[in-house]
C-alpha cells in the first residue's frame, strides 16, 4: 500500500496508541490539534478505509456511539491472537499468545468451531468502566 503523508500521519497515531479504539471524529480532533488543519474528516474516512483494507487497523464497535471505531493491528505482534475491546471507553487489550491459544483451542475442541482470531474482537467492559458504573 502506498503511504501518503496523511496515511502516515494516521498510521503513526495508531502505532503510538495501540491500546485505544477511536472514531474518525476523535481522530480529526486529535490530529488537527493545532492552528493548521493537517487532515480533514473526509480524508480521514478515506484513509481509514484503506488502512482497514490493508490490515493495519480493524474496525470495532462501541456501546454508546453509532460511529465505527478503529484500533491498531501490529504486523509483528497482533496476528493469531484475540483482542479485547471495552465497549464504553474503547480501550483495547492485546491478549497474550498463551491465553489466546488456549481459548481458541478450547473453542475448536468443544464447539468444533475455528475462530478467525485476526478478525475477532471480544467486547466487554474494562475494569475502570466497571468500577465507574457501580
Ligand atoms: Zn494486538
Ligand atoms: Zn473501559
Amino acid at each position: 500500500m502506498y503511504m501518503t503523508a496523511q496515511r502516515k500521519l494516521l498510521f503513526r497515531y495508531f502505532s503510538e496508541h495501540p491500546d485505544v479504539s477511536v472514531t474518525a471524529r476523535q481522530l480529526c480532533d486529535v490530529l488537527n490539534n493545532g492552528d493548521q488543519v493537517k487532515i480533514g474528516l473526509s480524508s480521514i474516512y478515506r484513509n481509514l478505509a484503506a488502512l482497514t483494507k490493508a490490515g493495519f487497523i480493524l474496525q470495532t464497535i462501541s456501546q454508546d456511539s453509532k460511529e465505527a471505531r478503529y484500533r491498531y493491528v501490529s504486523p509483528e505482534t497482533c496476528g493469531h491472537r484475540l483482542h479485547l475491546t471495552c465497549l464504553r471507553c474503547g480501550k483495547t487489550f492485546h491478549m497474550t499468545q498463551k491465553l489466546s491459544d488456549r481459548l481458541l483451542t478450547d473453542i475448536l475442541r468443544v464447539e468444533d468451531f475455528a475462530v478467525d482470531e485476526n478478525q475477532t474482537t471480544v467486547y466487554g467492559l474494562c475494569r475502570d468502566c466497571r468500577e465507574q458504573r457501580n
Side-chain angles (χ1 to χ4, degrees), residues 39-64:
I39 181 164
L41 189 58
S42 60
S43 31
I44 289 182
Y45 277 116
R46 213 170 38 244
N47 285 296
L48 284 174
L51 287 168
T52 304
K53 204 172 164 205
F56 292 117
I57 57 175
L58 195 74
Q59 211 173 310
T60 65
I61 59 164
S62 70
Q63 211 163 41
D64 43 8

Side-chain angles (χ1 to χ4, degrees), residues 18-22 52 57-63 69-73 78 80-95 100 103-104 107 113 115-125:
D19 59 345
V20 300
S21 54
V22 288
T52 304
I57 57 175
L58 195 74
Q59 211 173 310
T60 65
I61 59 164
S62 70
Q63 211 163 41
R69 292 192 194 191
Y70 299 84
R71 70 157 168 86
Y72 181 57
V73 176
C78 284
H80 309 298
R81 69 175 72 183
L82 290 168
H83 290 76
L84 310 171
T85 293
C86 180
L87 279 165
R88 190 183 269 186
C89 70
K91 187 157 194 234
T92 291
F93 302 82
H94 301 250
M95 199 182 278
S100 180
L103 290 172
L104 294 171
I107 292 168
F113 190 88
V115 173
D116 180 350
E117 66 274 20
N118 296 320
Q119 294 291 326
T120 303
T121 304
V122 180
Y123 293 103
L125 289 173

